[in-house]
Amino acid sequence: MLSKNTIFLWFDGAALDAAKFYSETFPDSTVGTAYRTPGDYPAGKEGDILMVEFTVMGIPCIGMNGGPSIKHSEAFSFQVATDDQAETDRLWNAIVGNGGEESACGWCKDKWGLSWQITPRVLMAAIADPDRAAAKRAFNAMMTMKKIDVAAIEAARRG
C-alpha cells in the first residue's frame, strides 16, 4: 500500500542499486518491493525493474528507472541531522567514497547525482544562536567548509 505522500526519484537504470545503498548506509532504511515492467518502454525492456519502493530514515520513497533524460538537481536534497563528528564523517564518507562528490557547506552528491546535506545538529544550533555575533561567526566558518567540522563550528561560535 502506497503512503499518502511518497518521494519519487528518477534514476537511469540504478534505482535498485541506489535503494540498496541507502538502506545499508542510513538507519531506519529498507528496500521494499521491486516492480518489473510488463512490457518494453523507452528506458528498458520487459522484465526490467521499473520501480522500487524503499525508505530512507523512515521516509517512503519510490525509485523509477526512467532513463537518462531527467537528472537530479540541488533543488531537491535529503537533509540528515547528525549528532556528532563521527556520524557526520561516517555518512559523508559513505556517500562521497562510493563515487559521490563533495560540495560546499555540508552538501554532497551521491554517485547517482542525488544531493544530501549532512548537517550536524550543532551547526543548526549555532546558526540559531540568539547571540547574533556568535551565529555569524559559526555561519562564516561553515561557508569555508565542505564537510562540516563540528569542533571548528563550536570554536567559531565561542569566538
Side-chain angles (χ1 to χ4, degrees):
M1 178 97 167
L2 288 176
S3 295
K4 188 78 163 173
N5 186 6
T6 302
I7 294 175
F8 197 91
L9 300 168
W10 187 292
F11 291 91
D12 183 13
L16 183 58
D17 292 338
K20 287 178 180 177
F21 173 75
Y22 304 147
S23 72
E24 293 166 1
T25 303
F26 299 101
D28 193 23
S29 300
T30 59
V31 177
T33 304
Y35 297 90
R36 295 192 178 274
T37 180
D40 293 350
Y41 69 112
K45 301 289 182 198
E46 181 177 336
D48 288 351
I49 292 176
L50 176 63
M51 294 183 295
V52 61
E53 295 176 333
F54 59 100
T55 60
V56 177
M57 296 170 288
I59 299 170
C61 302
I62 293 178
M64 183 180 86
N65 288 323
S69 62
I70 306 289
K71 304 289 184 201
H72 295 288
S73 83
E74 292 83 2
F76 174 87
S77 65
F78 282 100
Q79 183 180 48
V80 181
T82 57
D83 293 323
D84 55 31
Q85 191 67 55
E87 184 180 21
T88 301
D89 291 347
R90 184 184 74 74
L91 295 177
W92 182 274
N93 294 338
I95 292 167
V96 172
N98 187 41
E101 63 184 69
E102 295 179 323
S103 189
C105 304
W107 291 63
C108 57
K109 286 184 184 178
D110 63 29
K111 72 180 184 178
W112 302 283
L114 189 60
S115 291
W116 296 83
Q117 298 175 60
I118 308 303
T119 308
R121 293 179 196 278
V122 73
L123 172 63
M124 299 308 287
I127 291 172
D129 193 314
D131 176 346
R132 298 316 295 156
K136 185 174 182 179
R137 288 191 303 271
F139 179 80
N140 288 342
M142 176 205 63
M143 293 298 292
T144 68
M145 299 175 185
K146 289 185 179 189
K147 177 177 63 178
I148 301 301
D149 180 331
V150 169
I153 294 296
E154 290 172 329
R157 185 179 185 185
R158 286 190 305 272

